[in-house]
Amino acid sequence: MKNFELFLSESGISIFYVKIGLGFVFSFLITFFSIPTIIKISRRKNLMDEPGVRSSHLRKIPNLGGIAIFYSIGICASIFAYELFELYKFLFASLIILLYIGVMDDIVVMRAYKKLVAQIMVSALAVIGSDIRIRSLFGVFGIYEMSYFISVLFSIITFIILINAFNLIDGIDGLAGGYSVICSALFGISYYRLGEYNFPLVVLSVVIIGTVLAFLYYNLSNYRTNKIFMGDTGSMLLGFLLAFTSICFIDIFIDRELPNVPRYHLQSAPAVAVAILILPIVDTLNVIIVRLCNKKSPFDADKNHIHHKLLKLDLTHRRSTFYIIIYYLIIVAVAYYLRHININFLLLIIILLGFFGAYLPDLIYHLRNNKKIRI
């Protein structure tokens, strides 16, 4: 690969844009041509997602789309963004473990505690082994630099929460995939604007976008024979990678001097990262609060997720996904516009807007029912 880069530089061709182009094309094509084979095998071996309490579909659908997502990202990221795997030695090992745990859960359904143990192991590998961690909160609740132990613990918990949060929003067609594309695009644009040092992260973001767009072609298909879900394999993998990119994003803005690394500083960086990932964060917090208020276990399946509330309004999967993504993009726009205000105030605005979006469908539903009763 390095010889190829040398050839391109001598030819006057930008290596970065070649990586972007090839990374997108190959990640899309690998996923696009892998999924039909996975669907065929899934149907033959009856490796299907059965409709259940939390399900919003009525028929059995193949749920191993995450294998194609891993296959594509594993190949393209290690070729076109290999610098990340050189810098973060345990990153690929973490992805392999997530693949194994995800496939096991999609096929035989693992116990929650076993999944949690695996997620702790994966997060610890990334945080301790690769030093991918949140070092500062930039003044959130008056906290700035954290001690190593607190930083490690907080970062591991962040990884675990985001891995499971993305798993929870994967309840209707296109939502987890569409939101992953939006998050990757927002982080990718941010990294691009922050300069050449962050270009490998831009390439990774583009690879994720290409992979997930190809998956969405099948996930949103109107033909049942072409339809597939990403399953826990895909949602956990994407949750992990977006946690990784968000932590890297926050880390960039710590005001410090490093050799050969440009200095950036944005006091509200953690709040902006929360805004980009606000949907899975708010949705997870919301369902946990509702379950605890109803004296149920936080791990019990139910239909209190935001996407379930929109389906209750008789919206289709596609429309529900579209409205959710548009609303939370508005929150990102608000966060970006107000990025220079006090971080605690900005974080409060983001969280309040997030929860307002979570309960807006309930409000519309009750208003609609009251109107029908009066008529």
Side-chain angles (χ1 to χ4, degrees):
M1 187 67 187
K2 288 182 179 178
N3 290 333
F4 179 63
E5 288 183 8
L6 183 62
F7 168 75
L8 288 176
S9 61
E10 289 176 352
S11 304
I13 302 170
S14 172
I15 298 167
F16 169 66
Y17 293 110
V18 170
K19 286 182 178 181
I20 288 287
L22 293 179
F24 178 82
V25 170
F26 279 105
S27 62
F28 183 91
L29 292 177
I30 289 170
T31 305
F32 188 83
F33 288 111
S34 298
I35 286 180
T37 303
I38 293 171
I39 292 174
K40 187 177 179 182
I41 294 170
S42 296
R43 291 190 176 279
R44 186 180 297 168
K45 301 294 183 180
N46 197 32
L47 304 174
M48 315 278 270
D49 184 47
E50 301 275 355
V53 176
R54 192 166 18 206
S55 303
S56 55
H57 60 285
L58 303 174
R59 299 183 181 88
K60 294 195 295 184
I61 304 291
N63 66 336
L64 294 176
I67 294 175
I69 292 173
F70 170 83
Y71 181 46
S72 179
I73 292 174
I75 291 173
C76 295
S78 59
I79 293 174
F80 300 111
Y82 64 86
E83 298 94 340
L84 293 176
F85 297 100
E86 290 179 351
L87 184 60
Y88 306 111
K89 303 295 183 184
F90 294 91
L91 182 58
F92 199 76
S94 299
L95 299 180
I96 294 289
I97 295 170
L98 280 175
L99 170 70
Y100 175 76
I101 298 303
V103 171
M104 286 287 290
D105 193 47
D106 287 330
I107 293 175
V108 298
V109 184
M110 293 180 66
R111 290 187 178 181
Y113 80 90
K114 289 184 178 179
K115 281 173 65 177
L116 181 60
V117 169
Q119 289 168 3
I120 292 171
M121 186 190 306
V122 165
S123 303
L125 274 176
V127 174
I128 300 171
S130 297
D131 203 33
I132 305 164
R133 57 191 175 89
I134 301 170
R135 293 170 169 80
S136 172
L137 289 184
F138 293 70
V140 175
F141 305 125
I143 301 170
Y144 289 88
E145 290 289 325
M146 293 184 283
S147 67
Y148 179 77
F149 177 76
I150 297 298
S151 171
V152 165
L153 185 63
F154 184 72
S155 301
I156 289 173
I157 291 170
T158 300
F159 265 109
I160 292 168
I161 289 172
L162 287 174
I163 288 170
N164 286 290
F166 264 87
N167 189 20
L168 290 176
I169 67 167
D170 184 29
I172 59 174
D173 296 344
L175 183 56
Y179 202 76
S180 298
V181 168
I182 297 298
C183 290
S184 297
L186 291 170
F187 280 125
I189 291 166
S190 300
Y191 287 129
Y192 178 77
R193 294 183 64 192
L194 290 170
E196 188 175 341
Y197 180 77
N198 303 296
F199 280 0
L201 286 163
V202 180
V203 176
L204 175 64
S205 298
V206 169
V207 166
I208 294 172
I209 291 169
T211 301
V212 177
L213 284 176
F215 163 77
L216 287 173
Y217 173 83
Y218 295 98
N219 182 235
L220 294 172
S221 174
N222 291 322
Y223 300 99
R224 193 161 63 91
T225 52
N226 286 342
K227 201 169 194 63
I228 192 169
F229 298 151
M230 67 171 64
D232 281 6
T233 308
S235 60
M236 287 199 299
L237 182 69
L238 291 173
F240 174 82
L241 287 173
L242 289 167
F244 164 70
T245 51
S246 63
I247 290 173
C248 288
F249 175 81
I250 294 169
D251 195 53
I252 286 170
F253 289 102
I254 296 175
D255 192 14
R256 57 188 171 172
E257 286 190 37
L258 293 173
N260 303 317
V261 179
R263 290 179 70 177
Y264 311 103
H265 188 60
L266 178 65
Q267 189 67 33
S268 60
V272 174
V274 168
I276 293 174
L277 297 171
I278 188 64
L279 169 60
I281 292 171
V282 163
D283 190 53
T284 302
L285 288 174
N286 176 55
V287 294
I288 289 173
I289 291 168
V290 170
R291 289 168 190 173
L292 291 176
C293 289
N294 292 330
K295 297 181 179 179
K296 293 182 179 179
S297 167
F299 303 104
D300 285 350
D302 58 30
K303 291 195 173 184
N304 288 312
H305 294 278
I306 298 168
H307 52 268
H308 288 134
K309 295 177 181 181
L310 286 173
L311 293 178
K312 215 162 127 183
L313 295 174
D314 298 324
L315 294 174
T316 63
H317 282 219
R318 290 187 182 187
R319 285 200 174 190
S320 299
T321 294
F322 177 76
Y323 291 146
I324 290 171
I325 289 176
I326 290 297
Y327 180 80
Y328 287 101
L329 272 175
I330 292 170
I331 296 179
V332 174
V334 169
Y336 180 78
Y337 182 74
L338 300 175
R339 67 190 181 280
H340 295 300
I341 68 171
N342 178 271
I343 186 172
N344 289 287
F345 187 47
L346 178 58
L347 197 57
L348 178 63
I349 292 171
I350 291 166
I351 297 297
L352 288 176
L353 285 173
F355 273 100
F356 177 74
Y359 287 100
L360 184 59
D362 290 326
L363 178 62
I364 295 170
Y365 182 78
H366 288 303
L367 289 174
R368 184 185 290 180
N369 278 0
N370 289 338
K371 190 176 179 181
K372 285 180 180 177
I373 291 169
R374 286 174 188 172
I375 292 172

